Amino acid sequence: MARQDDERNDAKQQRLDRTTTVPAKPAGRVRLKLWVLSGADAGKGHPLPVGTYRLGKSADCDIVLDDSAVSRHHLRLDVAEDRVVATDLGSYNGSFCQGLRFTELEVQPGVVLTLGTTQLKLMPEDTRERSRLLSSRDHFGALVGTSRKMREVFTFLERMAPSDSDVLIQGETGTGKELCAEGLHRESPRAKKPFVVVDLAGIAPSLIESELFGHVKGAFTGAHGDRAGAFERAQGGTVFLDEVGELPLELQPRLLRVLERREVKRVGGNDYRTLDLRVVAATHVDLEAAVKAEKFRRDLFHRLAVLRVVLPPLRERPEDIPLLIDTVLERLGKPPSALSDQTRALLMQYPWPGNVRELRNVVDRVVNLGEESLPDIDPGVPRRAASRSGGDLDLARPFKEAKEQLVEGFERDYLMSLLKRCEGRFNRAAREAGIDRVYLRKLMRKHGLELSDGKPSGDDDAG
């Protein structure tokens, strides 16, 4: 028995010796730290001096992760002076690096590992060395920013772009999730192939299945011919599923099959068609909370969240506002002097509940209508969560309730301001807000902004 154990240990050591994914760096490099990026332990940092560390949810692990999708003993990190080797310990859900499942590999600083729903990032403990690993870019596609938060996002996107792995983008409304998805596509090997956008929040639930998967002639009333769905139309390219949290529960198994098997069957059809594409999904919804509420499938969430990026709200990166203003002016063909210093100062003070999209719309409006069209901005108002419709936000309430209060207050205030600005013209309001008319109607009905005939105020569809 002892001899067998020795042979197994020798074999394991030989595998470690053969792990040369990245050339070893010379001894004496900076010490490392393992940061938890997501999950219940997000924000925690674990120093990694030379040694061996077991990760899992068992209390006897060196690094304990509070994640039900993580095995009791999930991963081992062997930290040497010149390299770090990660070995999966036969976990149930597997260990992933940049979307690829692995059994054993060498990892370098800046690499993100995913165990269950928890993301871990290996970084130098020396802050000066860590800053050198951040992207030096001030944009990724049409996303713009020089703040540390955005440079961290760009660093992650740069590593994800060349991969074929599916990606989940999370962030508040207006943070640029579609721009992020388009940037990933344009910097990927699929850039010359189609980029197909599906706004799940703007499609009637009865039409989502056909829009995604296509249909054959006669599949339902009105199906007068065969039609390819979004996945087929994106063959070779990328499908962007915006607001994937709105996908009806009964259709989620079909999306899971597309993600796992890369095949699709049209509504009313009999045959599966093989797909070659990448799926990028986005949502402003807390999918983990939706899973707990049984409104979103757990297996689909885990499949989508293998690679995940969170776009920060504009209020958390105000230092990016001047660059964003100049970027909008440049796209409008206007010089930086088109806005006065006083106006710029006011724009810097505003909390921007609608994020970059709201900033873009305001700058556009001021350039075209003059500075008297500025929204009511009180420079004395601090950047804090507030809801004018529901009074000051009660931060002592449970997180979910406080969030709902804030979102509902913002939605109603935004819609009322939008309709007033557009003089009740529905189509114009939809264009200015940058949202689909169906979704705008849905929001207006939610907040009781309707005429007696049941149509939203200012519905000018006929014109």
Side-chain angles (χ1 to χ4, degrees):
M1 182 63 72
R3 181 178 178 181
Q4 290 177 346
D5 290 341
D6 290 341
E7 290 175 350
R8 281 196 295 266
N9 290 335
D10 290 342
K12 176 65 73 176
Q13 187 59 49
Q14 289 172 6
R15 286 200 300 274
L16 288 175
D17 292 339
R18 289 197 303 268
T19 305
T20 55
T21 307
V22 181
K25 290 188 176 183
R29 67 176 181 175
V30 296
R31 291 174 58 194
L32 297 171
K33 200 166 188 178
L34 188 69
W35 289 94
V36 184
L37 303 182
S38 64
D41 300 304
K44 291 184 179 179
H46 302 275
L48 297 179
V50 172
T52 299
Y53 304 86
R54 284 189 305 170
L55 286 70
K57 64 183 178 184
S58 175
D60 63 357
C61 287
D62 303 290
I63 299 176
V64 179
L65 301 175
D66 184 11
D67 183 343
S68 60
V70 169
S71 296
R72 287 175 52 80
H73 300 103
H74 198 112
L75 185 77
R76 188 182 73 240
L77 292 178
D78 294 294
V79 182
E81 287 288 349
D82 58 352
R83 65 177 182 172
V84 177
V85 175
T87 305
D88 185 86
L89 299 176
S91 65
Y92 182 78
N93 288 322
S95 301
F96 295 82
C97 179
Q98 308 299 80
L100 301 176
R101 187 167 182 165
F102 68 87
T103 300
E104 180 180 291
L105 87 163
E106 182 177 341
V107 294
Q108 292 291 339
V111 164
V112 175
L113 303 177
T114 302
L115 314 184
T117 62
T118 300
Q119 289 182 315
L120 306 162
K121 190 169 187 177
L122 190 68
M123 296 291 285
E125 193 172 30
D126 186 299
T127 55
R128 292 168 299 176
E129 183 71 17
R130 188 163 65 241
S131 66
R132 296 191 193 108
L133 295 173
L134 291 178
S135 172
S136 60
R137 302 167 63 158
D138 62 4
H139 70 281
F140 183 89
L143 288 178
V144 174
T146 57
S147 63
R148 184 178 185 85
K149 284 181 177 290
M150 288 307 292
R151 288 174 61 207
E152 288 175 346
V153 168
F154 295 161
T155 300
F156 197 31
L157 294 177
E158 288 169 5
R159 291 193 172 98
M160 290 194 292
S163 167
D164 257 351
S165 299
D166 302 328
V167 179
L168 175 64
I169 306 169
Q170 294 179 289
E172 296 179 7
T173 300
T175 49
K177 296 186 287 293
E178 183 171 345
L179 298 180
C180 180
E182 190 171 1
L184 283 170
H185 173 72
R186 292 190 179 279
E187 296 206 13
S188 76
R190 300 179 179 273
K192 294 183 179 179
K193 297 295 184 178
F195 177 71
V196 178
V197 179
V198 184
D199 179 10
L200 294 171
I203 303 174
S206 59
L207 300 178
I208 290 179
E209 185 175 23
S210 175
E211 176 61 29
L212 287 177
F213 309 111
H215 62 254
V216 299
K217 181 178 180 180
F220 50 82
T221 303
H224 301 302
D226 291 357
R227 181 177 184 271
F231 292 117
E232 286 186 68
R233 299 200 303 273
Q235 186 75 346
T238 304
V239 168
F240 174 52
L241 302 179
D242 198 10
E243 295 303 344
V244 71
E246 301 291 330
L247 185 66
L249 197 60
E250 62 271 17
L251 295 182
Q252 292 177 20
R254 294 199 63 181
L255 175 57
L256 183 63
R257 184 183 183 97
V258 170
L259 295 174
E260 292 187 336
R261 302 194 181 185
R262 288 303 196 262
E263 58 184 24
V264 65
K265 182 171 68 174
R266 294 181 179 181
V267 177
N270 297 316
D271 300 323
Y272 281 98
R273 300 164 188 259
T274 302
L275 300 172
D276 172 24
L277 50 76
R278 185 183 202 179
V279 178
V280 179
T283 181
H284 75 282
V285 174
D286 183 348
L287 288 186
E288 291 176 271
V291 168
K292 293 179 181 177
E294 298 184 349
K295 295 180 180 179
F296 203 85
R297 289 178 61 105
R298 183 178 299 275
D299 49 2
L300 177 57
F301 169 67
H302 287 160
R303 184 61 183 78
L304 285 171
V306 170
L307 282 183
R308 179 166 36 167
V309 60
V310 180
L311 298 181
L314 188 52
R315 63 182 175 275
E316 292 183 2
R317 53 183 187 106
E319 62 268 40
D320 286 335
I321 292 177
L323 177 60
L324 288 165
I325 292 174
D326 289 340
T327 301
V328 175
L329 291 174
E330 182 180 351
R331 290 173 184 169
L332 294 173
K334 302 293 183 180
S337 58
L339 291 185
S340 67
D341 291 342
Q342 182 182 10
T343 296
R344 286 174 176 268
L346 286 172
L347 296 180
M348 285 291 295
Q349 293 298 319
Y350 192 54
W352 299 110
N355 292 296
V356 179
R357 180 184 295 152
E358 185 184 9
L359 172 65
R360 183 178 64 241
N361 291 339
V362 167
V363 173
D364 193 343
R365 185 165 67 251
V366 171
V367 167
N368 287 286
L369 301 180
E371 297 189 353
E372 62 274 11
S373 67
L374 273 170
D376 294 331
I377 297 177
D378 180 358
V381 176
R383 281 191 177 85
R384 62 181 178 83
S387 171
R388 288 175 299 192
S389 296
D392 284 344
L393 183 61
D394 183 3
L395 298 179
R397 299 173 67 180
F399 172 80
K400 185 177 180 181
E401 292 181 14
K403 181 179 178 182
E404 289 175 352
Q405 177 195 352
L406 177 62
V407 171
E408 289 192 5
F410 159 69
E411 286 179 350
R412 183 169 181 82
D413 288 349
Y414 183 86
L415 290 174
M416 293 177 69
S417 172
L418 177 69
L419 292 173
K420 181 179 178 181
R421 217 164 48 237
C422 297
E423 300 175 340
R425 298 178 183 271
F426 183 75
N427 282 349
R428 177 181 164 190
R431 286 194 299 271
E432 184 163 327
I435 58 179
D436 188 89
R437 290 181 300 172
V438 174
Y439 186 51
L440 180 57
R441 282 198 187 93
K442 179 180 176 182
L443 286 175
M444 292 173 67
R445 289 182 178 128
K446 173 183 175 182
H447 294 285
L449 301 176
E450 298 178 323
L451 295 176
S452 58
D453 62 0
K455 289 186 178 181
S457 173
D459 193 339
D460 56 348
D461 286 353

